[in-house]
Amino acid sequence: MTQYSIGIDLGGTKVLTAIVEKNTGSIVSFIKKKTKKDKGCEKLVQKIKKSIYDLLEESSVDISQIDNIGIGAAGQIDRENGIIINASNLDFCNYNIKAELEKEFSKEVILGNDVEIATIGELYFGAGKGEKDFVCIFVGTGIGSTIVNDGKIRYGATGTAGEIGHIIVDIDGRTCGCGGCGCLEAYASRLAIEKRITGALKKGRKSDIVNYLIPDKPIKTSMIKKSIENKDDLVMQIINEASEYLACGLASIINFYNPSKIILGGGLIDAIDYFYERAVEMAKIKALPTPSKSIRFEKAKLGDFSGVIGAALLSEYRKDEF
């Protein structure tokens, strides 16, 4: 019998909602909408509800066939009670999204972290399938990661294990969105790269990326990719710097945790092969010789859908976990 769940990937720039066939990880139907902080959490939750109703209407799946709803949110969460404690990019604060969606759809709702759900997707149907010991890292607007040991996610004492984006790579360095200074995320994320390019342009540096910019719009990964293809000096300099910082973070993981594999995903990794390949090559050089020889790197296989597939499987994962 076919089993379906609804998976929701709630990120800083978009919310992706999908109906997923649980046995195969196949996407039946999906909807992607932009998220805007200034609209507030109530309106964003209304957008999620409408997305679910729209998906049910356009697909052949009835709500009675849906087992449950899984959701992954960027930020601090209370997994047990289904509360988004703090998601600054989305203006959520102590919001019980589990209770709100269960009231609307009369289905069990399970909440996870955005990187956690992407890792579960890769664990079941992606680059982590069949693997027992790996670290999953996603490089996009920020940098997040999850530790998998003996086939299970390790959450740590407070449920925040795996925050590679906030390891310190520069004492008294750049200010990070977390409020700290010198975090890896402030040097190797897409937002960090965008800030570096924007700052350099304001100082009068020349770059062909100006040919792709849209007034009052952020620099997109596709624009950075085009400039790399054109061997633009400024963009190449900044990408080389960011990939070296990422390599330092990767080498630290190799040395400290000694995983058998590191899976890399996210917008920057998916779109820019040069960034991925350079970071991996340098990480192997920077890491200690013995673990460096055995470490395997692989790109995440599910792309944009790793999160919604993992969210749809949250319930199954939690059953398997305990």
Side-chain angles (χ1 to χ4, degrees):
M1 181 179 176
T2 304
Q3 291 181 296
Y4 301 101
S5 283
I6 290 173
I8 302 166
D9 186 357
L10 179 56
T13 58
K14 71 178 189 308
V15 56
L16 183 61
T17 308
I19 295 175
V20 179
E21 204 283 287
K22 292 168 70 173
N23 294 326
T24 64
S26 301
I27 303 292
V28 177
S29 186
F30 73 93
I31 291 176
K32 183 188 291 187
K33 293 182 182 290
K34 292 182 179 179
T35 54
K36 293 182 180 179
K37 178 181 173 180
D38 58 351
K39 287 192 175 182
C41 59
E42 296 290 348
K43 288 189 176 179
L44 184 51
V45 171
Q46 290 303 317
K47 186 178 287 188
I48 291 172
K49 290 178 182 178
K50 186 177 186 307
S51 293
I52 292 174
Y53 283 120
D54 288 346
L55 282 176
L56 293 169
E57 184 177 344
E58 72 179 37
S59 70
S60 59
V61 179
D62 186 80
I63 187 66
S64 63
Q65 297 174 275
I66 300 296
D67 286 347
N68 47 56
I69 298 171
I71 181 167
Q76 294 176 286
I77 61 167
D78 177 346
R79 291 177 179 86
E80 184 176 348
N81 297 302
I83 296 170
I84 300 176
I85 299 170
N86 182 25
S88 56
N89 288 335
L90 297 167
D91 202 23
F92 276 81
C93 184
N94 293 319
Y95 187 90
N96 196 324
I97 196 165
K98 172 181 170 70
E100 185 63 30
L101 293 181
E102 285 184 344
K103 178 182 175 182
E104 183 75 20
F105 296 102
S106 299
K107 296 290 179 181
E108 180 190 21
V109 174
I110 309 97
L111 177 66
N113 175 269
D114 60 335
V115 181
E116 172 190 0
I117 62 167
T119 300
I120 290 171
E122 292 294 326
L123 181 62
Y124 275 83
F125 294 110
K129 188 174 182 179
E131 298 285 344
K132 290 290 185 181
D133 183 57
F134 64 92
V135 175
C136 222
I137 302 169
F138 291 86
V139 185
T141 305
I143 299 177
S145 62
T146 301
I147 299 166
V148 175
N149 176 251
D150 195 24
K152 304 296 182 185
I153 291 173
R154 295 305 174 207
Y155 296 105
T158 61
T160 59
E163 287 284 4
I164 184 182
H166 301 289
I167 64 172
I168 309 302
V169 294
D170 188 358
I171 298 174
D172 295 325
R174 299 175 197 164
T175 302
C176 180
C178 72
C181 293
C183 297
L184 178 62
E185 188 171 291
Y187 290 81
S189 65
R190 188 198 61 75
L191 187 58
I193 292 168
E194 177 188 334
K195 285 182 177 179
R196 288 282 285 159
I197 294 172
T198 300
L201 292 176
K202 286 180 178 178
K203 291 179 181 178
R205 291 285 302 274
K206 302 296 182 184
S207 171
D208 80 346
I209 201 168
V210 297
N211 298 320
Y212 314 122
L213 298 181
I214 301 170
D216 301 320
K217 296 289 185 180
I219 297 172
K220 294 183 178 180
T221 303
S222 59
M223 299 172 184
I224 298 171
K225 181 180 180 181
K226 287 179 182 177
S227 291
I228 291 174
E229 290 170 350
N230 294 336
K231 299 283 193 291
D232 179 77
D233 287 341
L234 173 63
V235 174
M236 290 297 294
Q237 176 190 334
I238 291 171
I239 284 292
N240 284 340
E241 177 191 76
S243 62
E244 185 163 2
Y245 274 110
L246 179 59
C248 289
L250 297 175
S252 296
I253 290 174
I254 294 169
N255 293 344
F256 176 73
Y257 183 60
N258 188 208
S260 61
K261 177 187 269 191
I262 294 177
I263 297 170
L264 286 161
L268 273 176
I269 299 297
D270 290 342
I272 305 176
D273 288 338
Y274 176 78
F275 181 73
Y276 166 78
E277 290 163 3
R278 190 171 190 274
V280 166
E281 179 183 358
M282 295 187 72
K284 290 179 178 179
I285 294 170
K286 291 176 181 292
L288 291 170
T290 299
S292 178
K293 287 177 183 177
S294 66
I295 188 67
R296 292 172 291 138
F297 285 93
E298 187 173 355
K299 279 191 177 186
K301 288 184 176 179
L302 303 179
D304 252 4
F305 295 114
S306 59
V308 289
I309 292 171
L313 294 167
L314 257 175
S315 177
E316 300 306 310
Y317 174 77
R318 299 269 168 90
K319 289 175 186 175
D320 292 341
E321 188 178 34
F322 297 109

